[in-house]
Amino acid sequence: MPRTVSLKHADLVQLLYHLRLSRAFEERLSVLHRQGKVIGGIFSGIGQEAIMVGACYGLRREDFICPLHRDLGAFLVKGMPPKILMAQVFGRRTGLSKGKDSYLHSGDSRLGIVGSTSMLGSNLPVACGIAYGFRLRRQDHVAVAFFGEGAANVGDVHEAMNFAAVHKLAVVFVCVNNLYAYSTPFEKAFAISGVAARAQAYGFPGVDVYGNDLLRVHGAMQDAIARARRGEGPTLVECKTFRWHGHSEHDKASYRTQEEFLEWKSRDPIPLYERYLNEKGLLTPDVGRRLDKQIEEEIEEAVLFAEESPWPEGPEALEDIYAPADGGADDGQR
Ligand SMILES: Cc1ncc(C[n+]2csc(CCOP(=O)(O)OP(=O)(O)O)c2C)c(N)n1
């Protein structure tokens, strides 16, 4: 059971801002995708926001996150400006990869964000490498790697967990268990009831939290992060949740029942957290309106910025492919 989180009132409200920003950003993306304005696929994390916000809120700039395809909220909480992220999905030159790809395959080393490859699970060994670097430089920063329960059965994941355990690396492995890997239900891919139980076999703690409860996720993550900073090694935090949309926006998710979908929709992480804030008297109508207005403006500005941004020129595809040979300035984006 995670310890009780003690956060200042301003932080508690800021957490709601991040939940609502992630939701609003992804809802807008869904519409933009249907309008044909977005390049490539969109892998919506709507319904899972409490995990990204709870895990990343409070991380240092120097800490690194290694998110996967559904973890857009993590980019925003780690400090990625919405307009840069929007330009990325529009495939524009002002986006993260300057138009080389779309969606979440790019990161920004200045913000501590590593873009993912398409190979599920390949981000976990990368997180181990980053944490090993922290060890060599005697820094108490942490690396947080996200993966789905589908990715959990890939060999890279096992290798990374074993390596992190043996070397007591400052890594937190966050398994976003949304019960389906594309159309494969959890019970068709696992003979156990959860992924967290595996941690014991590697030799570090595994924690199972309800992923729609922001404060529970944040509490479990704060414990795991503190342990990592103390040099005591990795933790596996499994967060059970459900994705509301299909695997990607073209997928109608007909492999799930309507009852299951409605049941999980009624467990929306945002009203759950809002009820908590209300009970504490922190979510007055004024605060709610101010947050909504701010988010609406930020998203409008982001869409406008993306739409007005230039497309990349062909030869630019060959720029920024390798690290500068002279060790010179690196703008951090890949
Ligand atoms: C190694 C590997 N195997 C298969 C795929 C194809 N693939 C992409 S996403 C996906 C489902 C992933 O499910 P999960 O890891 O649970 O994450 P979720 O999409 O549910 O967030 C699959 C099978 C891939 N990209 N990489």
Side-chain angles (χ1 to χ4, degrees):
M1 188 69 177
R3 71 184 155 83
T4 316
V5 189
S6 64
L7 286 162
K8 295 196 181 79
H9 286 179
D11 287 313
L12 291 169
V13 173
Q14 193 62 8
L15 283 164
L16 178 61
Y17 160 79
H18 282 297
L19 281 180
R20 286 192 183 176
L21 176 67
S22 298
R23 174 71 55 91
F25 194 108
E26 294 204 89
E27 279 177 343
R28 187 64 179 268
L29 271 190
S30 191
V31 173
L32 290 164
H33 181 262
R34 286 198 294 278
Q35 291 173 337
K37 293 192 174 172
V38 163
I39 308 288
I42 296 294
F43 303 87
S44 172
I46 290 181
Q48 308 185 167
E49 296 89 345
I51 301 169
M52 297 304 133
V53 176
C56 297
Y57 191 79
L59 284 175
R60 298 174 185 162
R61 193 182 172 96
E62 297 85 354
D63 295 329
F64 266 77
I65 58 168
C66 301
L68 269 180
H69 55 287
R70 209 173 296 290
D71 306 334
L72 182 142
F75 282 67
L76 294 170
V77 183
K78 198 71 175 54
M80 179 68 62
K83 64 181 196 177
I84 305 293
L85 206 49
M86 196 62 86
Q88 172 70 8
V89 281
F90 274 67
R92 302 303 167 103
R93 191 197 282 169
T94 50
L96 270 179
S97 63
K98 302 177 186 172
K100 289 187 186 59
D101 74 312
S102 66
Y103 220 49
L104 307 182
H105 290 304
S106 302
D108 188 333
S109 53
R110 295 163 305 184
L111 292 173
I113 304 173
V114 180
S116 61
T117 70
S118 284
M119 301 313 294
L120 295 174
S122 64
N123 56 331
L124 274 73
V126 173
C128 289
I130 292 169
Y132 203 83
F134 292 150
R135 160 78 46 80
L136 294 177
R137 288 188 225 105
R138 298 178 192 279
Q139 295 165 324
D140 68 343
H141 307 317
V142 300
V144 180
F146 296 91
F147 62 110
E149 83 289 349
N153 288 340
V154 168
D156 274 0
V157 172
H158 302 293
E159 292 175 33
M161 290 197 183
N162 189 55
F163 188 82
V166 168
H167 295 279
K168 284 195 181 305
L169 296 180
V171 186
V172 183
F173 299 110
V174 183
C175 179
V176 180
N177 183 353
N178 58 19
L179 310 181
Y180 286 87
Y182 208 136
S183 55
T184 306
F186 181 85
E187 59 278 7
K188 288 246 159 85
F190 290 82
I192 51 176
S193 61
V195 180
R198 290 182 176 174
Q200 199 190 353
Y202 295 113
F204 54 84
V207 190
D208 182 3
V209 274
Y210 178 37
N212 286 13
D213 188 329
L214 174 66
L215 293 178
R216 275 176 188 273
V217 174
H218 189 64
M221 285 301 295
Q222 289 301 300
D223 284 347
I225 290 165
R227 179 182 139 81
R229 293 204 201 287
R230 290 195 301 268
E232 292 171 19
T235 304
L236 168 58
V237 179
E238 177 182 9
C239 304
K240 297 240 176 55
T241 187
F242 198 75
R243 62 168 155 76
W244 290 11
H245 287 208
H247 171 69
S248 68
E249 292 297 278
H250 68 265
D251 168 30
K252 294 198 169 52
S254 50
Y255 41 84
R256 316 188 298 209
T257 65
Q258 185 68 355
E259 291 74 44
E260 186 182 26
F261 170 65
L262 292 176
E263 163 65 22
W264 275 96
K265 226 177 158 193
S266 73
R267 302 189 205 168
D268 188 337
I270 300 185
L272 181 67
Y273 184 60
E274 287 172 345
R275 275 200 292 282
Y276 168 82
L277 287 187
N278 260 322
E279 280 163 22
K280 289 191 89 87
L282 293 174
L283 184 56
T284 60
D286 259 9
V287 170
R289 273 193 297 272
R290 180 175 55 75
L291 290 180
D292 282 345
K293 186 167 178 290
Q294 183 186 345
I295 289 166
E296 204 182 308
E297 283 171 7
E298 279 181 273
I299 290 183
E300 279 317 310
E301 187 203 353
V303 174
L304 205 66
F305 174 79
E307 282 184 325
E308 288 178 351
S309 289
W311 293 99
E313 299 290 335
E316 289 170 37
L318 301 175
E319 292 172 7
D320 303 321
I321 302 296
Y322 300 102
D326 58 1
D330 177 358
D331 69 3
Q333 297 183 353
R334 329 226 171 282

